Amino acid sequence: MVLGNNERTMLRAMITEPQKVWNLEEILTSTGWGDQVFVAGAGKSLEEEGLVDIEEVHRNFVSLGQEGLKANQDGLLESRLWEWISLRDLEDRTMNALMTSKFDRSETGPGIGILKGLGVSIDSGNLIFSDSKAISKEISRRSEFINSLSEGPVDSSNLDDDLVAHFSSRSGLLEFENSVSRTWKLTKKGCSVEYSELSEVEMIGELTPKMLQNNSWKGAEFKPFDVSAPVPIPSGGRRHPMQSLIERIRSVFLEMGFSEIEGDYVQSAGWNMDALYIPQSHPARTMQDTFYLSDPEKVDVDEKYLDIWSKVHEYGHDTGSKGWGGYFNRDEAQKALLRTHTTVNTVKHIAENPGVPSRVFGIGRVFRQETIDRTHMPEFHQIEGIIHEPEASLPMLVTTLKTFYAKMGYPDVRVRPAYFPYTEPSAEVDILWRGEWLELGGSGIFRPEVTEPIGTEWPVCAWGMGLERLAMLVLGLDDIRQLYQPDLERLRKMPLI
Ligand code: PHE
């Protein structure tokens, strides 16, 4: 049996009281170690040697959540409602009175549900009940329970199971935390180890060239090396996972021969939409979907483009198209907004370099009026790109996207027919992930109504993909918000990209 120095230290400590069941704190104090990792590691090896028994106790702690803290301070909803009811005359205990009371709508709805559960019912708009004592009693029982958690987490085995179950079904009142605590105790064999065998030994942890030359390694004791032993995780800095992902995408496009372009968040509706032949009556242009700005309210657009977009939108100009018809509003085209997609950058790039073949990409933030939920945020990023050259084609577009996603680790890509006002043909791009096809973005060949006004007749392969969607796959997240919450613990644990 070869024990390492840590195992020797731990045994020396435990042998001072051979029958004792040791907890973590006691071992730390007695060994002088500053990190529980040493106890875990040495304890494990001693267990493997049959010298120590380890016992694990799993415990579940309950504490007050955000709502629970509020309830403890202001009273539980049922307790406040009950007080309100008790203070009113019989004929005044009505739903109408409740609806116009100090209680907010967000409280009266769930509140009525809770009261019903307690035995209050509604009869032609009146709140009625028979056993008010029982109701009061149950409410105090609940309030006392909440109060009993106000001092900090309590082991759930000391709590009333019924009430724990009741409050866990109400959102935000309770929080749960599992913990495992271990104890260590010497086995018979462990008790019989001689203290004198446990002195620190000089062990060789690393062979140096010098030792090899002078043969001093012969007969020496070597430190056993366990590559699977738990070690403290160094808490150094790291890049935010989103930033690493952006870097990786950037290097993939650069390696595929693309150059990077950028653009401003604030744009004119003209470049963001009219240049892309999005009709001025398109629903996505309304305030519900787009953030229009009041300062600046307007972004000037070169007359040259306003002229030509008017013609294209009204009757197709000389593109062979019939246009959208109606009247093109130049003021509308100069409204300032937060860009809703990064396609504004690529279309501008062509307008600025019409006769130059180009392959460019950009990764940028875009803004849309979205309600925040698991898969939506009002600010997100797109991975945009174009191939603008005489021989650009749909197969070239598909191959480029397939190559890109294969390099990112997703070799199965498919395209499906789609519609965008500015491309023809248009394609939706999906990738295969754990047996499911997930939609990642749109693509297509810009229509002549887009390309001709900006001075080119070459075909343009174009695409715009969601970055956050891809990030969720790469990082294994199921909620987009996790990407941007400043939860250092979680960010630190996210996979390296
Ligand atoms: N702009 C589109 C979007 O935001 C994506 C797209 C880009 C589609 C380029 C076709 C061509 O969803």
Side-chain angles (χ1 to χ4, degrees), residues 66-86:
Q66 204 72 0
E67 290 301 315
L69 292 169
K70 260 214 301 242
N72 186 50
Q73 211 165 54
D74 310 337
L76 274 167
L77 179 55
E78 53 266 55
S79 148
R80 287 180 291 122
L81 284 168
W82 185 240
E83 188 187 315
W84 179 88
I85 291 176
S86 318

Side-chain angles (χ1 to χ4, degrees), residues 462-482:
W463 62 88
M465 310 283 156
L467 173 65
E468 279 75 5
R469 264 300 190 81
L470 184 62
M472 285 169 75
L473 300 190
V474 174
L475 299 168
L477 306 178
D478 57 8
D479 190 326
I480 196 168
R481 290 166 288 199
Q482 291 169 348

